[in-house]
Amino acid sequence: MATITFIGLGNMGGPMASNLVKAGHDVTVFDLSKDAVAALVSEGAKTAETAHEAARGAECVITMLPAGQHVEAVYLGDDGLLANLPAGTLVIDSSTIAPETARGVAEEAKARDIPFIDAPVSGGVGGAKAGTLTFICGGAEETFSKAKPILEGMGKNIFHAGEHGSGQVAKICNNMMLAILMAGTSEALALGVKNGLDPAVLSEIMKQSSGGNWALNVYNPWPGVMEGVPASRGYEGGFLVNLMNKDLGLAFDNAVKNHAAIPMGSLARNLFELHAGQGNGALDFSSIQRLYRPEDK
C-alpha cells in the first residue's frame, strides 16, 4: 500500500480517489470544493488546507484537473509542486491536456529527478465509480511499471502508449472518435423516431447490427431507453459538453500542428460547440441528442 495525495475531486477524480481509499492506500485529498473533500474524508481519506500540505510525505501524487492551465499551475514554477517535492516522488497526471503540455511538465519533472507519467483515462463516470477505467500512459517504461500497481486500484485496463505525451495523443484520438459516434448515433435515432420507430426498438436493432457502437450499446443518448445513463436523468452528471469541447479543441489543434485531415472530427467539434452555445455546456455530452430533437428540453 502507498501513501498517496490525490488532487482534483470532480466527477471523475472523486470516485477514483474513493477507490484508492477502498484499496487500502493512505490517501490525502485536496480540492477547492469543500463538499467533495468532505465526501472523501467520510470514506476514510485525510485532507489538508493546501495542495503543498496535502503532498507532504506522499510517495505518489495524482492529479485529475480540468485543463492544461490548471496542470501547469499546480506543477510548474517556484510555487509548483515539482519545485517542492522530494526527488523520487512518483507523479501521475490523469488530466486530459495537450501532449506538448504533458511533455513540458515531464521535462521539468526529469530535471528534478521526479518520475512522471501522463495517464489520461477513458471509461466515464461509471467506469470511475466501478474502478474499471482504462489508463493510457505516456512516459518511461520504468515509471509506468512503478505506477501500474497504483493505477490498478482505479482501473481495469492499463496501457503504456509510449513516451511522454503519448497517453494524451491516444486520449484525444479516442475522444474525437467518441464525439463522432455520439453525434452519429443521435442523428440516426432522431431519423428513426421521425419515421415513427420506437427508439428502444431501433436501438436494439442497431446494437445487434453493423451500427452497434459504445455510444449506442452502453451510453444510449435517447431519454428513457437505457437505465442508469445521463439521458435518463435529464443529462445530468457524466462527461460534460464543455469538457468534450475542450478535448475536441485539443484534437483540432493537434491536427493543425501535424497537418492531419480530420473532417469528421472538425464537424463534431462544430456540432458540440453549437450545442454548448445553446446553453447545454454543463450537461452530459450525450445531450447532443437535443440538437436533433430540440423539443426534448
Side-chain angles (χ1 to χ4, degrees):
M1 296 298 104
T3 301
I4 299 172
T5 294
F6 201 108
I7 300 172
L9 304 174
N11 288 342
M12 296 291 291
M16 290 165 66
S18 175
N19 282 327
L20 290 175
V21 173
K22 292 172 185 174
H25 295 289
D26 181 358
V27 181
T28 299
V29 298
F30 177 78
D31 193 274
L32 296 179
S33 168
K34 295 185 183 300
D35 289 341
V37 170
L40 266 296
V41 170
S42 71
E43 295 183 18
K46 302 172 185 175
T47 189
E49 291 298 317
T50 67
H52 285 286
E53 184 183 336
R56 193 170 297 137
E59 298 171 274
C60 174
V61 174
I62 302 173
T63 45
M64 186 63 163
L65 302 168
Q69 64 263 33
H70 305 105
V71 173
E72 291 178 325
V74 166
Y75 285 115
L76 302 183
D78 292 340
D79 292 329
L81 287 182
L82 293 180
N84 295 277
L85 289 172
T89 305
L90 174 63
V91 173
I92 301 170
D93 179 47
S94 287
S95 316
T96 298
I97 58 178
E100 54 268 27
T101 303
R103 294 184 190 113
V105 176
E107 288 176 7
E108 180 70 18
K110 183 179 180 180
R112 298 180 180 278
D113 197 24
I114 293 173
F116 170 85
I117 60 169
D118 51 288
V121 303
S122 180
V125 175
K129 291 179 178 178
T132 58
L133 290 171
T134 294
F135 284 87
I136 313 162
C137 305
E141 181 69 46
E142 181 181 355
T143 307
F144 172 73
S145 297
K146 187 177 180 181
K148 189 175 181 182
I150 293 173
L151 298 178
E152 286 174 339
M154 301 177 286
K156 185 171 69 171
N157 302 298
I158 320 294
F159 292 102
H160 185 216
E163 61 186 15
H164 291 299
S166 298
Q168 300 297 344
V169 172
K171 175 62 188 293
I172 61 178
C173 290
N174 179 79
N175 275 23
M176 181 180 74
M177 182 167 64
L178 174 59
I180 293 168
L181 290 171
M182 184 59 77
T185 295
S186 298
E187 192 170 298
L189 287 170
L191 177 61
V193 171
K194 283 284 188 181
N195 280 272
L197 296 183
D198 183 318
V201 173
L202 177 57
S203 293
E204 197 60 33
I205 291 169
M206 293 193 295
K207 281 168 62 177
Q208 303 303 323
S209 304
S210 55
N213 66 81
W214 189 90
L216 177 70
N217 296 355
V218 302
Y219 213 84
N220 196 294
W222 197 277
V225 170
M226 186 176 289
E227 293 183 6
V229 297
S232 293
R233 53 174 186 268
Y235 299 106
E236 295 296 327
F239 185 59
L240 305 188
V241 170
N242 285 338
L243 292 178
M244 178 58 85
N245 275 341
K246 181 205 75 173
D247 291 357
L248 288 169
L250 291 173
F252 183 84
D253 291 344
N254 187 273
V256 171
K257 290 174 183 175
N258 288 282
H259 304 285
I262 53 165
M264 294 184 70
S266 298
L267 177 56
R269 178 177 179 272
N270 286 335
L271 289 172
F272 277 93
E273 193 62 57
L274 176 63
H275 184 52
Q278 295 175 347
N280 301 296
L283 297 179
D284 180 75
F285 81 107
S286 62
S287 64
I288 193 73
Q289 184 71 75
R290 288 182 171 177
L291 192 65
Y292 303 94
R293 191 170 181 261
E295 65 271 20
D296 177 31
K297 289 186 178 179

